[in-house]
Amino acid sequence: MKPTVIVKIGGSVITDKNTGSLKVNTSELRRIIDELSSTELNLVLVHGGGSFGHTLAKKYLVHKGKQYSSTHAASKVMVSMMHLNSIIMDTMVEKGLSPLSLPPHAILSDQGRFRAYQKKLLNLALNQGFIPVTFGDVILDQKTGFKILSGDFLAAELAIILQAKRLVFGTNVDGVFPNLDDNRILREVNRSTKFFSVTTDVTGGIQYKVKQGLRAARAGIETLIINASKPGNMKAAISGQKILCTKIVWE
Ligand SMILES: Nc1ncnc2c1ncn2[C@@H]1O[C@H](COP(=O)(O)OP(=O)(O)OP(=O)(O)O)[C@@H](O)[C@H]1O
Ligand SMILES: [Mg+2]
């Protein structure tokens, strides 16, 4: 089987998390999909929530579970994510690709772990030439009723279970900044690296992304955080070309 690359498209790249507007930046989305189209490798795509996920989840406290939120609010976030997902699916089909959507709320629960059944689905899809597409979502949880499952978690999990060659987190900054007043990124981050993090979203922002990246790096997967807002970066990163970014290594 061809080597697999897992790509996470940050919601920060294709939506406006600052204003919370429920509009997709279609030119950015189209450009990134064009860049992904070039790969010969097996591709699995994960997209984040951006304004479609984080803004609503925060408003209704969906990340805190049923005790603080409601099943109706959880449904609202799921529907909003399905909406964003369908725009991405439409765009991929328009561009001649063959995506296959795997909404987490329909196939995962609790810790969001992929078991034999989900793994079989993924491999069947890849073997048929589909690009599996999944995303940060609300999933059912036996203890809290429901919870948010982060796209960053899914991306690392998929990289590990599919023994991917590479995991690329595309976001809207060049990589991980060491502190507030230094905008030169760290070229490498390992499990001991300390850096600042201001988290405004519901899934732990850059800190959680690095944590998930470390999990994949530990499993031997080449893991990068790149600026997907810069044209050409995604295409270069998935094919292993060197770009300005943060590489995540275990030690
Ligand atoms: N130390 C840091 N280094 C880099 N970015 C940081 C740091 N601390 C905070 N950030 C912020 O983290 C943001 C990226 O994380 P964020 O979770 O918002 O994006 P994303 O994962 O691409 O989007 P989504 O969660 O919707 O998929 C950057 O826009 C940046 O402002
Ligand atoms: Mg995020």
Side-chain angles (χ1 to χ4, degrees):
M1 201 156 116
K2 289 186 284 184
T4 301
V5 179
I6 313 295
V7 170
K8 155 94 191 294
I9 302 183
S12 63
V13 183
I14 50 169
T15 76
D16 191 341
K17 283 173 87 165
N18 295 325
T19 64
S21 143
L22 295 181
K23 245 174 50 190
V24 174
N25 186 336
T26 44
S27 60
E28 279 295 87
L29 177 62
R30 294 173 74 85
R31 178 185 57 74
I32 291 168
I33 289 171
D34 279 339
E35 292 192 31
L36 294 176
S37 306
S38 62
T39 187
E40 293 291 310
L41 305 173
N42 273 337
L43 187 66
V44 178
L45 197 63
V46 180
H47 64 82
S51 54
F52 288 71
H54 294 281
T55 312
L56 273 181
K58 211 187 280 183
K59 180 173 170 190
Y60 298 115
L61 302 179
V62 172
H63 52 301
K64 293 187 178 287
K66 197 173 176 180
Q67 196 185 346
Y68 298 91
S69 190
S70 68
T71 50
H72 186 65
S75 293
K76 277 189 178 170
V77 176
M78 288 182 212
V79 168
S80 180
M81 283 310 299
M82 295 281 277
H83 187 199
L84 173 60
N85 178 247
S86 78
I87 294 169
I88 293 170
M89 300 295 286
D90 275 346
T91 311
M92 291 177 80
V93 168
E94 261 171 42
K95 296 270 181 192
L97 299 177
S98 310
L100 182 144
S101 179
L102 293 171
H105 66 253
I107 59 165
L108 300 169
S109 68
D110 300 291
Q111 303 312 311
R113 300 274 176 197
F114 285 72
R115 310 248 177 245
Y117 166 72
Q118 290 88 348
K119 205 175 155 183
K120 187 176 163 200
L121 264 185
L122 281 163
N123 280 318
L124 271 175
L126 286 169
N127 287 336
Q128 293 301 321
F130 288 104
I131 301 174
V133 181
T134 191
F135 47 89
D137 199 4
V138 180
I139 59 167
L140 296 173
D141 183 270
Q142 293 184 69
K143 284 203 195 93
T144 58
F146 46 80
K147 61 156 64 133
I148 304 277
L149 184 68
S150 157
D152 293 336
F153 172 88
L154 283 170
E157 191 70 8
L158 286 163
I160 293 165
I161 65 155
L162 296 174
Q163 297 177 310
K165 180 180 174 65
R166 197 168 284 131
L167 164 59
V168 179
F169 290 103
T171 187
N172 67 344
V173 287
D174 287 345
V176 179
F177 299 120
N179 48 55
L180 262 180
D181 45 12
D182 193 348
N183 60 5
R184 286 170 304 174
I185 57 156
L186 297 162
R187 301 301 296 262
E188 204 171 275
V189 164
N190 64 35
R191 64 193 159 120
S192 316
T193 310
K194 300 272 176 285
F195 58 90
F196 93 98
S197 170
V198 188
T199 302
T200 51
D201 70 16
V202 294
T203 49
I206 206 88
Q207 198 85 41
Y208 188 74
K209 199 185 296 298
V210 169
K211 184 178 167 194
Q212 295 307 314
L214 281 167
R215 225 157 53 83
R218 187 183 194 177
I221 296 152
E222 184 190 327
T223 303
L224 305 170
I225 298 180
I226 71 154
N227 192 341
S229 299
K230 286 192 178 163
N233 263 1
M234 185 57 87
K235 184 175 179 177
I238 56 174
S239 61
Q241 290 171 40
K242 294 236 174 316
I243 55 165
L244 175 73
C245 68
T246 297
K247 181 171 182 165
I248 303 189
V249 295
W250 179 245
E251 49 195 355

